[in-house]
Amino acid sequence: MNSAHYGMEVNDESLEEMGLGELAQLTVTNEAEGMYESGTSKEAYSKMWNAKYTLRSHFDGVRALAFHPIEPALITASEDHTLKLWNLMRTIAGKKSAFLDVEPVYTFRGHQGAVLATCMNPTGEQCYSGGVDGTVRVWNVPNSNIDPYDAYDPDVLSLTLSGHTDAVWGLAFHTQKPQLLSCSADGTVKLWSPGSKAPLLQSYAAEPAMGVPSSVDFVHEDCSHMVAAYTSGRCAVYDLETSKVVMQLESNQNVEGGAPRDQVNCVVSHPTMPVTVAAHEDRHIRFYDNVTGKVVQAMVAHQDAVTSLAVDPHGLYLLSGSHDCSVRLWNLETKQCVQEITAHRKKSDESIHCVGFHPTKPYIASGGADALAKVFV
């Protein structure tokens, strides 16, 4: 499957229909501020995302990343047991390269083992990380303009949430309430209120046939629900209050318990519609209707396992990452791939572990098994 198959003619009318608005400007390189410009033009939309920053400092695979909600900064989580904070405005010109190298401004240390998941709260004041050690850690995010050579600040680690008995694979933070979801290899999803006296609010365990939860997200369009994905290839929508399964999303299971190739590696909730998007080991991306539980669309999206997904804040584009070394950008209305980026090298049959959109600035990022994170503008 080469990217030539995904050419897409776009005219101004179709841009209007798609309601792209300021998102059409996402691919414009705006060096100084990187804020959206107004208006919609054909040229702006047809410009492609280009690699701009290379983040090298981790010693092992980058498993997860989270952009700061407002600033041009991001946090990466790695198998090297650390998380790092990067300020994209503090760059070093690469040797004979169009890329800019970025040095981390802060390294978060505390996990005993690989860090597998991270997310930030909507203010960007705190970030959360989950690891192989079964803990969820809450960090106060230092100012992204700090001196990287300052002394280590012990107050940065504000809290350790203990409750899981095995690796924490996924985290999600609520957009409106100070609540955090975590899913673990111990078979449970947990809901936390990190600031309160008794932070563990609820624990959700699925029937054994579902397998182990591999990814979790709040349902954005209905804040009282969450969606969890499992190694069996199935997904379920839960009521956060009652812990009951509201809807089991249809799966393509022919085999009882599911085959490993069917497992869901990542699940994301659409920001404005009752739709769940799931990345599968069998190279598919599947779109589910949360109301009926049915698959609305399934497509072979990559040449290898699809590992990661992100939807832009307006709900118009989907990013997917895969062990085939590519990041693909999809128009959600047409389900067409509008750009393919070869971003990372393979290491032990793994390549891209995570992708993300900046919530307010025109940046996308990917992290991979090659220990690098890359940012595109």
Side-chain angles (χ1 to χ4, degrees):
M1 235 182 355
N2 86 42
S3 54
H5 292 297
Y6 301 110
M8 191 170 109
E9 286 299 311
V10 179
N11 58 33
D12 291 329
E13 289 78 37
S14 66
L15 277 178
E16 290 306 315
E17 281 162 33
M18 281 151 60
L20 280 168
E22 42 184 30
L23 200 78
Q25 291 290 330
L26 269 179
T27 48
V28 174
T29 308
N30 186 338
E31 299 288 325
E33 280 300 316
M35 287 307 286
Y36 299 143
E37 291 181 18
S38 56
T40 309
S41 78
K42 192 171 174 178
E43 291 80 75
Y45 181 65
S46 59
K47 271 187 195 168
M48 294 280 113
W49 290 91
N50 294 305
K52 179 159 185 190
Y53 305 102
T54 305
L55 282 44
R56 19 173 144 247
S57 176
H58 283 297
F59 297 117
D60 210 337
V62 175
R63 279 275 170 186
L65 55 83
F67 274 109
H68 189 283
I70 305 134
E71 294 170 17
L74 83 161
I75 285 175
T76 51
S78 166
E79 292 171 9
D80 69 8
H81 307 192
T82 70
L83 297 103
K84 289 180 188 282
L85 171 67
W86 312 79
N87 178 343
L88 299 177
M89 296 292 107
R90 290 171 63 168
T91 57
I92 319 137
K95 299 172 193 68
K96 297 180 187 153
S97 148
F99 287 83
L100 290 168
D101 270 2
V102 187
E103 292 276 353
V105 292
Y106 193 84
T107 299
F108 303 82
R109 303 175 195 279
H111 279 284
Q112 311 291 309
V115 190
L116 304 171
T118 188
C119 64
M120 287 184 102
N121 68 0
T123 62
E125 287 164 25
Q126 289 189 312
C127 85
Y128 309 87
S129 61
V132 162
D133 59 10
T135 65
V136 174
R137 291 174 192 251
V138 183
W139 311 86
N140 294 319
V141 179
N143 183 313
S144 57
N145 290 313
I146 60 165
D147 183 339
Y149 302 105
D150 274 357
Y152 180 77
D153 180 358
D155 294 335
V156 169
L157 177 58
S158 91
L159 191 63
T160 299
L161 302 172
S162 303
H164 285 298
T165 56
D166 205 337
V168 175
W169 280 104
L171 294 172
F173 201 85
H174 203 290
T175 49
Q176 286 143 13
K177 294 186 206 161
Q179 291 185 350
L180 177 75
L181 280 171
S182 59
C183 67
S184 164
D186 66 9
T188 67
V189 173
K190 293 188 189 298
L191 178 68
W192 311 85
S193 171
S196 54
K197 280 204 167 108
L200 182 57
L201 300 177
Q202 197 66 276
S203 204
Y204 311 84
E207 59 205 49
M210 294 286 277
V212 168
S214 51
S215 181
V216 70
D217 200 5
F218 286 98
V219 174
H220 300 309
E221 166 278 335
D222 179 348
C223 303
S224 64
H225 291 167
M226 65 132 175
V227 60
Y230 293 86
T231 48
S232 62
R234 301 181 197 181
C235 300
V237 176
Y238 287 82
D239 183 301
L240 291 168
E241 287 287 314
T242 64
S243 312
K244 299 268 188 296
V245 173
V246 188
M247 179 58 68
Q248 190 123 344
L249 303 181
E250 189 181 76
S251 66
N252 61 330
Q253 294 323 116
N254 309 322
V255 201
E256 192 49 49
R261 65 173 182 79
D262 288 329
Q263 86 170 27
V264 182
N265 292 320
C266 182
V267 70
V268 291
S269 169
H270 190 279
T272 56
M273 297 194 288
V275 171
T276 294
V277 191
H280 289 256
E281 190 71 16
D282 67 4
R283 307 178 318 186
H284 281 73
I285 292 176
R286 293 184 174 87
F287 297 84
Y288 298 93
D289 180 327
N290 293 351
V291 181
T292 63
K294 300 237 174 294
V295 176
V296 234
Q297 180 133 13
M299 56 194 192
V300 176
H302 283 273
Q303 292 165 323
D304 203 337
V306 190
T307 58
S308 45
L309 296 172
V311 180
D312 83 88
H314 303 272
L316 300 171
Y317 286 99
L318 175 75
L319 267 181
S320 61
S322 163
H323 287 324
D324 68 7
C325 302
S326 76
V327 171
R328 288 184 173 175
L329 180 71
W330 305 84
N331 175 319
L332 277 176
E333 190 183 48
T334 61
K335 306 293 192 290
Q336 286 268 32
C337 176
V338 290
Q339 189 179 357
E340 177 175 4
I341 304 166
T342 305
H344 295 268
R345 290 194 308 279
K346 269 205 173 190
K347 182 186 159 196
S348 335
D349 281 338
E350 294 191 328
S351 177
I352 293 161
H353 290 310
C354 51
V355 292
F357 279 97
H358 193 293
T360 52
K361 292 186 187 301
Y363 292 123
I364 59 174
S366 60
D370 57 5
L372 298 177
K374 292 188 176 176
V375 179
F376 307 84
V377 295

